Amino acid sequence: MADLPDVPTLLGAAVKALGGSSREGQQTMADAVSSAVEQREHLVVQAGTGTGKSLAYLVPAIRHAMATRTPVVVSTATIALQNQLIDRDLPRLAAALAPLLPREPTFAVLKGRRNYLCRNRMQTASDEEAEGTELFDARQLSSLGRQVARVHEWAEDTLTGDRDELVPGVSDLAWRQVSVGGNECMGARVCSFGQECFAEFAREATTGVDVVVTNHAMLSIDMSQGYHILPEHNTIMIDEAHELVDRATSVATGTLTERAVTAAAKRAARLVEPGVSERLSECADGLSLMFTEVPEGRLDQIDDGLAGAVAAARDAAAACVAAIGPSPGELDPDTASDRRLALAALGEVREAAERVLESYEPPLRDRTEIVWLTKGMSRPPALNVAPLGVGGLLREKLFGDRTVVLTSATLTLGGDFTALARQWGLGREAAQEAADRDAVSDSSAEPASAADGARDAARAGGEDPADDDDDGPHRAAGEPRWRGLDVGSPFDHGRSGILYVARHLPKPGRDGLSEEYLAEIAGLIEASDGRALGLFSSMRAAQQAADELRERLDQPILCQGEDSTGQLVRRFAEEERSCLFGTLSLWQGVDVPGPSLQLVIVDRIPFPRPDDPLASARQRAVSAHGGNGFLAVSATHAALLLAQGTGRLLRSTEDRGVIAVLDPRLATAGYGGFLRASLPPYWGTADPEVARSALRRLAEKAEADRGETAA
């Protein structure tokens, strides 16, 4: 590494070339990332909005990759950030650093195989009934056919086969007709289109590059497979790290449906005797019948009827696999494709069924997986099985033999990194152990303090609830060493934002927004003259607020679901007096700097639903082992979302505004201290007139500025 410029030199050149300014937090983070990579130490970095964290980890990543001739993997949670890195950040950075380095840095993106067009699937699907269309009427199937036809036309011109480049896009059902998952692919050596495979092209493009950009789901798949999809690497940067546990859990979730069993039976029918595949088809009918009799939600116990139907599906799928038998050797491409698709579908059915049944073998207190049934008007019933935590998987497969840097604007909950670190399988930070010893010896600590909340929150997400028996202040055996760093934010939160908690309002009810809440929202929007982002705990509440307030207010109100989220956000940014109401995706997906957003309204603390299967099971597991399940799971979930949602207000150093939390429990409940300690240090008030007066002044200034611009 001695022949290359050091990280401060490279970062300075990059910032200058890109027209930015030097930021202390960015420099501190870049130095810490460089040190962690050199010392092979895991690093957790909270970097507030405006820090410039992408450059802070990309510059040391590129330097390390070029010095060691080994790629660095960068993983993101969202397509938006993935595209930003590939289309904007990395091209500009590579060009800026090229004069200082032996060559221009290189990079590539790698997504899951399902994201790429499969030429073989396109050919074979035309000879089959469209997959997964049994429940759709003729009009829906006609629309599906038009979408698939458009994909075929696009296939003649595309150079990448990447779904994200198809604009406008098509439905998931349509895309499934022209793509395959990794377990369905027969392999380039056997496939007739192996030399023209888009997924293989994308994978080959990662060979020899300095930075490979992927996503958390792909990273989780790479960890859980017996073979690696990503190129060999020893360093990984995980951006949007607060999403890692949810994405890894999603990948680790198995699902059993009537449709999946039926599809597996149809694929097997091409290769086995009719009686064998018909047995599996009958199992699909049995599952469908049992699904109608079992209530939706978490299933702590499984009745004999459902257990029998699941076991029958497992055994019938296994019988089909046995009947297909081992590969006889060289096969023609069509037969090889049929075998691969059938075995993949059968394997998914058998594995999901086995996991469901095995999850009930331990006593309830010691279970590590949870089963629940989902039903809905727009989707068929599904039996799901997921791990209570993914800490064990991440500890072994992610942190075991690589250096990992995890970063986000929101990683400290209740004031420290403990909660998320435990969910990642990292355990306690070395620097935190001494503080924990002091806390354990202090018997006078109040149970609802921010520090206690963080410690209890740390108990959620361990891969095995039994791990929580040991809540002592020392590091558990096998836990990786790591350190945490909060580089702060360039924003002066206390001078730029007001946190207004409507302490005078009643607690939120279950029957929609009360008149008191609607009146409070209306008064705030009138004061701000629009310019409001309403973050609601449910779509029903968002729609109720939009419908009723349109009758009372002159300001335009946009509501999620009335158009694509991207289009709504664009209109909200362009129409300065407009308001945008919505739910979960808006809590994390809105980036609107400037006067179009000066008020963020949160209707209630975003606790998970009481009937959420995973959250309720995790909460129960922590409580069963002596922890505070509410703080460990529900409060942690709420703290993370609150920090993300309130972070929509300040997107540049010039932004000013008010965050209005209508739920009085943020000020009055014992856990409120933990939640407030998870937020930036805004100036706080419970006086509604203080909040409205500040909003009026901001609105007047915005109008004056707009008038000057027009003049």
Side-chain angles (χ1 to χ4, degrees):
M1 287 193 174
D3 295 336
L4 299 176
D6 60 19
V7 165
T9 300
L10 293 173
L11 180 62
V15 170
K16 182 178 179 181
L18 299 180
S21 58
S22 177
R23 284 168 276 190
E24 182 180 355
Q26 186 181 62
Q27 295 171 358
T28 301
M29 178 176 172
D31 290 341
V33 172
S34 178
S35 176
V37 169
E38 290 180 7
Q39 298 176 17
R40 314 308 298 168
E41 177 185 50
H42 304 306
L43 177 68
V44 179
V45 187
Q46 177 165 281
T49 303
T51 301
K53 64 177 170 22
S54 295
L55 278 187
Y57 65 73
L58 286 175
V59 168
I62 288 173
R63 185 179 188 276
H64 176 73
M66 297 190 74
T68 61
R69 299 181 182 178
T70 303
V72 172
V73 171
V74 175
S75 180
T76 74
T78 61
I79 292 175
L81 180 55
Q82 188 177 69
N83 291 340
Q84 175 187 314
L85 291 173
I86 285 294
D87 298 334
R88 192 186 71 181
D89 293 354
L90 279 166
R92 297 168 66 200
L93 179 58
L97 296 183
L100 284 76
L101 298 171
R103 57 175 174 78
E104 183 167 320
T106 55
F107 53 90
V109 63
L110 184 63
K111 306 174 185 179
R113 189 171 290 272
R114 181 68 78 177
N115 290 277
Y116 300 99
L117 199 66
C118 174
R119 295 189 186 277
N120 183 66
R121 177 73 176 137
M122 286 175 60
Q123 176 173 290
T124 57
S126 61
D127 300 327
E128 303 176 2
E129 178 183 347
E131 181 182 343
T133 60
E134 298 86 353
L135 301 179
F136 296 88
D137 61 28
R139 286 177 299 177
Q140 289 172 309
L141 292 179
S142 176
S143 172
L144 175 68
R146 289 194 296 272
Q147 291 182 67
V148 173
R150 187 158 62 82
V151 175
H152 278 258
E153 293 176 4
W154 172 71
E156 298 299 320
D157 300 320
T158 179
L159 298 178
T160 66
D162 187 337
R163 181 181 181 179
D164 289 336
E165 295 185 8
L166 176 60
V167 179
V170 296
S171 67
D172 289 343
L173 183 61
W175 188 256
R176 198 157 60 236
Q177 314 308 314
V178 296
S179 64
V180 296
N183 60 346
E184 299 170 323
C185 175
M186 71 178 74
R189 289 180 298 178
V190 179
C191 180
S192 300
F193 298 92
Q195 302 304 309
E196 308 170 58
C197 177
F198 292 119
E200 290 297 320
F201 291 160
R203 190 170 181 181
E204 290 169 5
T206 66
T207 302
V209 301
D210 299 309
V211 177
V212 177
V213 179
T214 189
N215 55 65
H216 295 353
M218 186 72 170
L219 181 65
S220 300
I221 293 170
D222 186 76
M223 288 188 292
S224 58
Q225 299 287 347
Y227 57 90
H228 289 301
I229 306 167
L230 295 166
E232 185 175 347
H233 60 280
N234 57 29
T235 304
I236 182 165
M237 308 287 166
I238 299 181
D239 204 339
E240 300 177 310
H242 62 279
E243 294 270 16
L244 180 60
V245 168
D246 284 347
R247 302 305 169 95
T249 301
S250 180
V251 168
T253 298
T255 303
L256 188 64
T257 65
E258 175 197 3
R259 178 185 295 175
V261 177
T262 299
K266 287 182 177 180
R267 293 199 179 283
R270 296 169 174 260
L271 303 166
V272 303
E273 295 295 325
V276 181
S277 60
E278 287 171 2
R279 177 184 163 197
L280 185 57
S281 295
E282 293 169 359
C283 291
D285 296 334
L287 277 174
S288 178
L289 177 62
M290 293 311 305
F291 287 162
T292 62
E293 298 183 2
V294 176
E296 184 178 23
R298 194 182 74 219
L299 303 179
D300 290 337
Q301 306 297 332
I302 186 169
D303 64 39
D304 292 341
L306 181 57
V310 172
R314 175 198 62 190
D315 296 342
C320 287
V321 172
I324 293 173
S327 176
E330 291 293 328
L331 295 171
D332 64 88
D334 288 344
T335 303
S337 177
D338 288 343
R339 278 181 56 86
R340 186 71 176 182
L341 290 170
L343 290 172
L346 292 166
E348 289 179 0
V349 168
R350 183 172 66 174
E351 181 184 358
E354 284 179 348
R355 285 180 62 189
V356 167
L357 296 173
E358 290 174 357
S359 73
Y360 291 101
E361 293 177 0
L364 185 62
R365 185 177 187 274
D366 299 328
R367 290 178 189 167
T368 59
E369 293 207 302
I370 179 67
V371 176
W372 72 97
L373 181 66
T374 53
K375 300 181 182 181
M377 296 294 294
S378 60
R379 58 184 180 183
L383 193 62
N384 309 279
V385 56
L388 278 175
V390 293
L393 170 68
L394 297 176
R395 179 189 302 167
E396 178 184 357
K397 301 295 186 180
L398 178 63
F399 297 106
D401 57 357
R402 292 179 279 197
T403 299
V404 182
V405 174
L406 303 108
T407 187
S408 171
T410 310
L411 293 179
T412 59
L413 301 179
D416 65 38
F417 296 103
T418 309
L420 287 179
R422 182 61 181 271
Q423 292 182 28
W424 296 326
L426 284 175
R428 292 173 178 81
E429 181 188 9
Q432 184 66 29
E433 293 175 9
D436 281 348
R437 292 190 188 96
D438 293 340
V440 169
S441 64
D442 181 7
S443 59
S444 65
E446 296 184 9
S449 70
D452 285 337
R455 285 194 294 275
D456 279 319
R459 308 177 73 121
E463 76 284 358
D464 185 343
D467 287 350
D468 292 324
D469 286 335
D470 176 17
D471 198 31
H474 58 275
R475 181 184 307 280
E479 289 181 346
R481 293 192 65 83
W482 63 280
R483 69 185 182 100
L485 174 67
D486 185 351
V487 299
S489 168
F491 302 153
D492 186 346
H493 292 89
R495 298 177 68 87
S496 301
I498 294 175
L499 175 62
Y500 161 54
V501 181
R503 188 171 184 147
H504 64 283
L505 290 180
K507 292 180 181 179
R510 297 183 178 181
D511 300 322
L513 297 170
S514 66
E515 173 56 31
E516 294 99 323
Y517 275 61
L518 292 169
E520 186 75 25
I521 296 171
L524 290 166
I525 290 176
E526 286 177 335
S528 65
D529 194 20
R531 303 178 173 89
L533 174 66
L535 302 177
F536 294 86
S537 54
S538 69
M539 185 54 71
R540 185 181 68 166
Q543 291 170 341
Q544 178 195 356
D547 292 341
E548 298 202 26
L549 292 177
R550 281 168 178 157
E551 301 290 328
R552 308 186 190 189
L553 300 173
D554 295 330
Q555 292 82 5
I557 296 178
L558 312 173
C559 188
Q560 194 174 8
E562 297 172 346
D563 201 340
S564 71
T565 299
Q567 281 291 102
L568 289 171
V569 172
R570 279 191 288 273
R571 285 184 58 191
F572 174 57
E574 293 168 359
E575 301 173 17
E576 192 171 299
R577 295 178 63 249
S578 66
C579 305
L580 174 59
F581 291 176
T583 185
L584 189 60
S585 62
L586 297 187
W587 286 71
Q588 303 183 77
V590 175
D591 186 5
V592 179
S596 291
L597 176 49
Q598 295 183 334
L599 169 63
V600 173
I601 301 171
V602 177
D603 72 327
R604 64 191 299 160
I605 296 172
F607 294 120
R609 290 168 52 98
D611 59 355
D612 180 275
L614 267 174
S616 60
R618 286 169 172 166
Q619 184 166 321
R620 181 186 61 193
V622 173
S623 298
H625 290 84
N628 186 322
F630 171 76
L631 282 176
V633 180
S634 293
T636 296
H637 177 277
L640 189 58
L641 267 183
L642 266 181
Q644 286 286 312
T646 60
R648 301 308 97 199
L649 179 67
L650 303 181
R651 309 305 294 175
S652 75
T653 53
E654 290 77 32
D655 287 347
R656 302 288 185 272
V658 173
I659 297 161
V661 179
L662 308 186
D663 191 334
R665 293 174 297 177
L666 187 62
T668 61
Y671 51 77
F674 170 72
L675 298 179
R676 292 193 303 274
S678 304
L679 302 178
Y682 301 106
W683 188 83
T685 183
D687 187 338
E689 186 52 38
V690 170
R692 289 194 290 263
S693 296
L695 290 169
R696 291 189 196 101
R697 290 192 296 272
L698 288 172
E700 291 168 1
K701 183 178 186 304
E703 284 299 313
D705 291 344
R706 187 165 61 172
E708 291 178 5
T709 301

